[in-house]
């Protein structure tokens, strides 16, 4: 591979909790030693249950949440540790699309103002240029140019999500974090937005980190998948690998949890029981062991390293070689 | 697909700008607020037009009736004070000062409170700590003893009085604005602006403040009432505007000495203060209901 667009090394986001004058408090490891790379034009899915740290990871890549350790490189440039001025400039290379299309648009700004915000911030273009740019952006996401005069409340959820996407595109980024961009939408609208993202990715060679929990959407849209559990990577690999030959019990459980229309549905599904353990005091050894049907005493003793198993397939499970998880 | 989108858009255009109309409708439903607004507007008009319809000047004395107040008569509808000045004239001119100081004091209070509250709520940390502890200190100072002390030292000009009034009542607004900012700074659209490269001042002024204007407007309205009360109190205690320039507070002050023999001097300014503050509060309540509908 040539130089990757994004290189993440041992990224950590730890939050202090309950710290008071009299109490040392504890630390929540929302993201713990996560490493991965993304090439230009590549779409990577990030999956995991609620509370697994997906959103925190996505935001810490953009330094919307400050990472407490590790490094993020964009185009070879270190994003972590960038000065505020450099970071502002770098922001035109990396953008974010939010989950909630109602909370992510300022209700007091017209769509035109929202979309030209970036042009103002980076002092690009004259007033007329900006109007043209806004119209072009709206066209890209399938909205009429008149939309620029209107306010967010006048649009439906799907239309608002298109505006959110246009805003992210307004700085012509190379990398976009899409934080569950379709989870808040009606199923019929979801397909439109997913198709729009697929189309944009082709047209603009965008790299997208697609955070989601709908595995069929991820399978359709992504090249590779990263499975996150309690802030740690459990497994990563190409979509084909992960979906056909999952090697981590957690991945298999996620795949099994996805609804399927299939009369001959297999019955040997792995069901997850219980809740996520408290991230303040995660289990020793393998953090998944408390909910893992294959757990053995040694799982509590050692932290399984993320090991490479075959081409571009990495698994953090000491029993990955002995248990057969291929869906039958 | 594009056609479909265009179509939906046109259908929805009919709803354009409706929030403001809904807001007005909700306000109109609040009967006391409407009455309050009408009262305030009438008072403002009367006070502004005073020089054109009042036959006397506020410091014009009738030397034939000097020494004791005279009761209401055909020439002097509300009587005269002990210096032979027309009470109605002084009441209306007093309203000018009282309403003016009330309004300007409220504006200053709102500006100060909004500035302090937004910096504290947006930057948090050390700024929040310093500014909010300062706010607590200001809140804990008992106004009247302080003012009595100050009044022995100097007499403020009207401009300075306005600043003092504003400077003594901004704390509630600061706390309110801070809490608004604490909530709004976490909104995704603020995060989106940050992701685009927007920094502090722009986030505060363009993305957060406009969304906090509802509660701020309500607080500003209520501050008008507080500030009228405070100005009256200060003038009553002799720290405010000095005679012969009348304000409701200093008319009340000089009338208080004659309360037992000439109650007609004290009652009108007292009622004016009472009804103005009441009207302002009703309008504030109405605005709150109109701007922050619950459920």
């Amino acid at each position: 591979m040539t130089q990757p667009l994004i290189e993440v090394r041992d990224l950590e986001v730890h939050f202090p909790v309950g710290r008071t004058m009299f109490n040392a408090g504890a630390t929540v490891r929302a993201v713990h030693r996560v490493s991965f790379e993304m090439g230009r034009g590549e779409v990577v899915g990030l999956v995991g249950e609620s509370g697994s740290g997906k959103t925190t990871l996505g935001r810490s890549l953009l330094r919307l949440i400050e990472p407490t350790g590790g490094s993020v490189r964009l185009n070879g440039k270190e994003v972590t540790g960038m000065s505020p001025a450099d970071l502002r400039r770098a922001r035109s290379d990396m953008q974010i699309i939010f989950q909630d299309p109602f909370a992510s648009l300022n209700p007091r700004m017209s769509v035109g103002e929202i979309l030209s915000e970036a042009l103002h911030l980076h002092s690009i273009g004259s007033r007329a240029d900006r109007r043209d740019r806004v119209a072009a952006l709206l066209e890209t996401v399938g909205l009429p140019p008149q939309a620029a005069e209107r306010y967010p409340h006048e649009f439906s959820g799907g239309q608002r999500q298109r505006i959110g996407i246009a805003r992210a595109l307004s700085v012509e980024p190379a990398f976009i974090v899409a934080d569950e961009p379709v989870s808040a939408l009606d199923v019929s609208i979801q397909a439109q937005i997913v198709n729009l993202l697929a189309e944009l990715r082709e047209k603009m060679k965008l790299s997208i980190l697609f955070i989601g929990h709908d595995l069929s959407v991820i399978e359709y849209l992504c090249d590779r998948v990263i499975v996150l559990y309690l802030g740690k990577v459990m497994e990563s690999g190409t979509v084909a690998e992960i979906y056909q030959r999952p090697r981590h019990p957690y991945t298999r459980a996620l795949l099994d949890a996805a609804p399927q229309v299939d009369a001959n549905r297999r019955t040997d599904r792995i069901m997850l029981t219980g809740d996520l353990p408290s991230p303040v005091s995660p289990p020793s050894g393998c953090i998944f062991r408390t909910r893992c049907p294959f757990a053995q005493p040694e799982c509590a003793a050692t932290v399984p390293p993320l090991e490479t198993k075959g081409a571009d397939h990495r698994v953090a499970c000491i029993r990955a070689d002995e248990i057969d998880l291929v869906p039958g | 697909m594009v056609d479909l989108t265009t179509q939906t858009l046109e259908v929805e255009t009919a709803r354009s700008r409706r929030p403001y109309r809904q807001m007005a409708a909700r306000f109109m439903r609040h009967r006391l607020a409407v009455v309050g607004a009408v009262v305030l507007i009438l008072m403002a008009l009367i006070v502004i037009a005073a020089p054109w319809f009042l036959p006397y000047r506020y410091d014009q004395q009738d030397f034939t009736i000097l020494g004791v107040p005279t009761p209401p008569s055909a020439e002097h509808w509300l009587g005269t004070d002990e210096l032979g000045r027309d009470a109605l004239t002084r009441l209306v001119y007093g309203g000018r000062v009282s309403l003016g100081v009330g309004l300007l004091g409220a504006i200053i209070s709102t500006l100060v409170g909004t500035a302090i509250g937004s910096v504290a709520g947006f930057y948090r940390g050390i700024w929040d700590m310093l500014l909010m502890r300062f706010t607590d200190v200001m809140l804990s100072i008992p106004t009247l003893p302080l003012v009595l002390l100050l009044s022995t030292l100097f007499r403020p000009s009207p401009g300075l009085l306005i600043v003092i009034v504003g400077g003594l009542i901004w704390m509630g607004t600061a706390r309110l604005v801070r809490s608004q900012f604490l909530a709004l700074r976490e909104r995704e659209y603020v995060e989106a602006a940050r992701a685009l490269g927007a920094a502090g001042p722009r986030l505060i002024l363009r993305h957060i403040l406009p969304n906090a204007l509802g509660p701020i407007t309500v607080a500003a309205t209520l501050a008008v009432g507080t500030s009228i009360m405070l100005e009256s109190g200060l003038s009553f205690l002799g720290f405010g505007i000095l005679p012969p320039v009348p304000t409701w507070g200093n008319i009340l002050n000089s009338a208080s000495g004659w309360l037992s023999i000439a109650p007609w001097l004290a009652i009108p300014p007292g009622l004016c203060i009472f009804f103005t503050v009441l009207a302002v509060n009703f309008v504030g309540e109405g605005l709150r209901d109109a701007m922050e509908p619950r459920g």
Side-chain angles (χ1 to χ4, degrees):
Chain A
M1 194 157 46
T2 53
Q3 190 195 33
L5 180 71
I6 296 278
E7 283 176 272
V8 181
R9 287 278 160 270
D10 293 329
L11 193 69
E12 286 184 358
V13 183
H14 293 181
F15 297 116
V17 286
R19 194 152 295 171
T20 63
M21 212 185 292
F22 309 106
N23 188 338
T27 302
V28 172
R29 297 169 163 190
V31 174
H32 191 61
R33 298 182 71 91
V34 170
S35 303
F36 63 93
E37 292 176 354
M38 281 176 70
R40 195 170 282 276
E42 194 177 27
V43 178
V44 174
L46 186 60
V47 296
E49 286 165 277
S50 311
S52 60
K54 297 174 302 215
T55 296
T56 310
L57 174 55
R59 294 192 184 188
S60 61
L61 294 182
L62 306 184
R63 278 185 61 189
L64 290 173
I65 295 175
E66 284 295 332
T68 46
S71 82
V72 177
R73 283 161 167 274
L74 177 78
N75 261 329
K77 269 183 295 184
E78 182 88 30
V79 176
T80 36
M82 237 179 214
S83 73
D86 286 343
L87 183 62
R88 277 240 289 285
R89 269 188 293 277
R91 293 215 178 281
S92 56
D93 275 330
M94 45 187 201
Q95 275 303 308
I96 179 165
I97 301 167
F98 293 94
Q99 172 176 5
D100 183 351
F102 289 89
S104 59
L105 301 177
N106 188 339
R108 302 274 167 153
M109 286 167 82
S110 74
V111 172
E113 287 169 335
I114 290 171
L115 295 184
S116 54
E117 173 90 4
L119 306 178
H120 274 283
L121 287 169
H122 302 282
S123 336
I124 307 168
S126 67
R127 188 176 289 219
D129 292 344
R130 286 174 188 169
R131 211 171 25 239
D132 293 346
R133 279 284 294 276
V134 167
L137 280 169
L138 286 168
E139 198 194 330
T140 311
V141 298
L143 290 172
Q146 305 91 286
E149 317 285 312
R150 313 220 187 292
Y151 285 80
H153 69 87
E154 300 172 50
F155 296 88
S156 67
Q159 290 170 332
R160 286 166 147 246
Q161 199 56 290
R162 286 170 191 272
I163 296 165
I165 293 172
R167 173 177 57 195
L169 295 176
S170 66
V171 292
E172 298 176 351
F175 172 58
I176 290 186
V177 172
D179 187 4
E180 309 211 29
V182 298
S183 305
L185 303 176
D186 289 347
V187 179
S188 56
I189 309 293
Q190 285 189 3
Q192 291 182 14
I193 298 295
V194 169
N195 284 333
L196 174 65
L197 287 174
E199 194 184 300
L200 293 172
R201 170 231 177 147
E202 286 304 317
K203 247 197 314 206
M204 309 186 162
K205 288 281 281 170
L206 280 174
S207 301
I208 303 177
L209 181 70
F210 189 96
I211 302 172
H213 46 236
D214 184 334
L215 289 164
S216 53
V217 168
I218 299 227
E219 187 176 13
Y220 171 75
L221 197 64
C222 300
D223 307 308
R224 287 194 299 132
V225 185
I226 296 170
V227 180
L228 212 60
Y229 183 78
L230 275 183
K232 285 176 123 173
V233 176
M234 295 288 105
E235 185 169 12
S236 71
T238 61
V239 165
E241 274 284 318
I242 299 287
Y243 280 69
Q244 308 306 321
R245 283 182 294 281
R247 307 195 62 160
H248 197 287
Y250 181 58
T251 312
R252 174 66 195 279
L254 284 182
L255 289 170
D256 285 352
Q260 278 169 345
V261 188
D262 183 0
N264 308 315
R265 184 164 195 184
R266 58 176 185 265
T267 49
D268 63 333
R269 296 195 293 157
I270 296 178
M271 302 275 230
L272 284 181
T273 50
D275 292 324
L276 279 174
S278 161
V280 179
S281 51
S284 67
C286 172
I287 46 171
F288 183 56
R289 69 178 164 84
T290 52
R291 299 166 77 195
C292 180
F294 304 100
Q296 287 185 335
E298 68 241 49
C299 293
T302 45
V303 179
L306 196 58
E307 288 178 325
T308 306
K309 309 273 182 189
D312 200 18
H313 194 157
R314 296 193 294 168
V315 187
C317 175
I318 55 170
R319 302 193 63 203
D321 290 327
E322 20 173 325
I323 50 180
D324 177 23
L325 290 169
V326 176
Chain B
M1 199 169 76
V2 174
D3 283 342
L4 184 91
T5 318
T6 321
Q7 223 172 30
T8 354
L9 202 70
E10 266 153 18
V11 175
E12 293 189 359
T13 312
R15 289 197 287 137
S16 194
R17 303 281 188 278
R18 227 165 108 192
Y20 294 101
R21 207 173 301 164
Q22 280 178 349
M23 223 181 262
R26 273 198 299 268
F27 184 81
M28 296 307 279
R29 239 178 291 150
H30 209 297
R31 208 172 298 158
L32 283 173
V34 175
V35 172
V38 170
V39 167
L40 290 179
I41 291 168
L42 278 179
M43 280 186 160
L45 288 178
I46 290 173
V47 152
I48 291 167
W52 289 288
F53 69 85
L54 288 172
Y56 309 101
R57 283 174 289 111
Y58 65 80
D59 57 354
Q60 187 178 338
Q61 287 174 286
D62 184 344
F63 293 101
T64 59
I65 46 175
L66 222 51
V68 272
T70 59
S73 62
E75 298 91 67
H76 303 285
W77 290 358
L78 292 179
T80 63
D81 64 11
E82 75 279 11
L83 298 175
R85 300 177 297 196
D86 181 57
L88 177 62
T89 303
R90 290 185 63 76
L91 184 71
V92 173
Y93 275 98
R96 259 186 163 190
V97 176
S98 287
L99 291 178
V101 171
L103 194 66
L104 295 172
I107 289 173
I108 287 183
S109 150
T110 305
L111 290 178
V112 172
T114 303
I116 288 185
S118 44
V119 169
F122 183 81
Y123 290 104
R124 299 190 297 187
I126 185 79
W127 285 108
D128 188 23
M129 218 270 285
L130 289 175
L131 290 171
M132 284 301 114
R133 291 306 75 78
F134 174 59
T135 306
D136 292 343
V137 168
M138 289 298 293
L139 271 173
S140 68
I141 293 176
T143 309
L144 290 182
L146 174 77
V147 166
L148 285 175
L149 180 73
L150 287 178
S151 69
T152 62
L153 302 176
F154 70 106
R155 295 288 152 112
S157 65
L160 187 59
L161 182 71
I162 290 168
V163 173
I164 290 174
V165 166
L168 286 172
I169 61 170
W170 54 267
M171 291 78 77
T173 310
R175 285 184 163 181
L176 174 90
V177 172
R178 171 180 174 268
S179 71
Q180 287 287 315
F181 266 68
L182 283 178
L184 292 173
R185 77 191 295 285
E186 305 297 335
R187 291 286 167 88
E188 282 188 344
Y189 56 78
V190 178
E191 203 170 6
R194 200 174 269 155
L196 287 171
R202 187 174 176 90
L203 291 174
I204 292 177
L205 294 174
R206 185 137 175 80
H207 292 275
I208 304 183
L209 199 55
N211 288 290
L213 279 184
I216 294 176
T217 311
V218 174
T221 311
L222 298 177
V224 174
T226 316
S227 140
I228 288 174
M229 286 285 286
L230 186 57
E231 182 278 322
S232 303
L234 297 186
S235 295
F236 181 80
L237 293 172
F239 182 63
I241 309 278
L242 284 187
V245 177
T247 84
W248 289 341
N250 71 23
I251 297 175
L252 212 49
N253 180 21
S254 39
S256 65
W258 302 93
L259 200 56
S260 53
I261 52 168
W264 62 85
L265 286 179
I267 291 170
L271 286 179
C272 278
I273 295 170
F274 176 75
F275 280 112
T276 310
V277 174
L278 199 63
V280 167
N281 282 303
F282 282 145
V283 170
E285 289 285 315
L287 281 177
R288 176 176 302 167
D289 289 350
M291 288 182 163
E292 309 166 43
R294 283 175 199 91

